[in-house]
Amino acid sequence: MRFFGYFRSSASYRCRIAFNLKGVAPAFVPVHLRRGGGEHLRPDYVAVNPQRLVPALEVDGTALTQSLAIIEWLEETHPAPPLLPRDPVARAQVRAFALAIAAEIHPLNNLRVLAYLKGPLGHDQATVDQWYRHWVGEGLLACEALLARNRQGRFCFGDAPGLADICLVPQMHNARRFGCDLSAVPRLAAIDAALAALPAFAAAHPDAQPDAEP
């Protein structure tokens, strides 16, 4: 089993947390998204993931892509500890929260989107940062409201970390890295702080990765 990722990638970060929670340790293959014009664009990596994105997980010669699909595969093949509740309604709520981050917030602040705003569209860094903070702020406010309605327990949806928490922590990390004001999302901030103390989350932090750099 080989895991292709990048230390700053939110999607890679999600998978690292899930691997740690499940006690699974694939061999790590770093794919630097900036070095040499982007190692994810090299033909050998495109052969693994035609989307030219990280992460990817190679299992017995088969490549799996998209972080949530990889995590769902992990959940199905390594069911303990569970990342999703058994109740169908609760499962749908957890998946909705996870998708609010992975499918709504993250695509608008992905590295390639920010690079396109600066490059072909010619926006300066201040404008790009404004774009980032606006969409992250909008998305996190929605997530805060979802938890105000549905939250039960210490973490997003209970007293054990799951898929929602796996998606929340990388997004909160990136929000802080870009200077987003998180004062309007106190529930998210409190959960994020509690999760940071768990070994599975601490070990998945970008600064703790073998390919980390300043």
Side-chain angles (χ1 to χ4, degrees):
M1 191 184 301
R2 296 196 301 164
F3 177 65
F4 300 81
Y6 176 58
F7 77 107
R8 280 205 182 111
S9 159
S10 293
S12 298
Y13 194 172
R14 293 172 202 144
C15 290
R16 293 195 301 265
I17 296 169
F19 289 137
N20 292 344
L21 288 170
K22 296 288 190 179
V24 175
F28 176 57
V29 182
V31 180
H32 202 290
L33 300 186
R34 294 183 180 274
R35 185 180 298 139
E39 294 176 354
H40 59 300
L41 304 178
R42 297 188 322 197
D44 58 337
Y45 184 70
V46 174
V48 175
N49 186 357
Q51 281 191 284
R52 301 180 295 177
L53 298 170
V54 292
L57 180 68
E58 196 172 68
V59 183
D60 297 328
T62 297
L64 306 178
T65 61
Q66 289 292 332
S67 63
L68 293 193
I70 291 170
I71 293 168
E72 292 270 5
W73 171 86
L74 191 63
E75 176 78 346
E76 292 167 4
T77 57
H78 299 75
L83 302 179
L84 288 161
R86 294 179 62 86
D87 176 73
V89 171
R91 287 170 77 92
Q93 291 173 333
V94 170
R95 284 186 168 119
F97 184 94
L99 287 167
I101 293 174
E104 300 291 342
I105 302 175
H106 182 222
L108 291 171
N109 62 71
N110 187 275
L111 178 61
R112 62 179 180 171
V113 171
L114 301 182
Y116 190 78
L117 289 171
K118 280 189 70 174
L121 296 187
H123 294 296
D124 60 19
Q125 188 63 52
T127 302
V128 172
D129 289 347
Q130 183 180 0
W131 162 282
Y132 181 98
R133 293 179 187 125
H134 171 78
W135 291 115
V136 170
E138 289 279 310
L140 291 180
L141 280 173
C143 289
E144 179 84 357
L146 286 172
L147 290 192
R149 186 173 64 185
N150 298 320
R151 183 187 179 193
Q152 296 179 354
R154 184 184 178 198
F155 302 124
C156 286
F157 291 90
D159 290 320
L163 181 63
D165 307 284
I166 286 169
C167 289
L168 174 64
V169 166
Q171 189 58 66
M172 293 291 281
H173 170 75
N174 277 353
R176 288 192 298 271
R177 191 162 69 90
F178 279 80
C180 295
D181 181 2
L182 299 176
S183 61
V185 290
R187 289 182 183 84
L188 301 186
I191 294 168
D192 180 59
L195 290 165
L198 300 183
F201 286 77
H205 192 281
D207 292 345
Q209 304 318 302
D211 59 330
E213 57 189 34

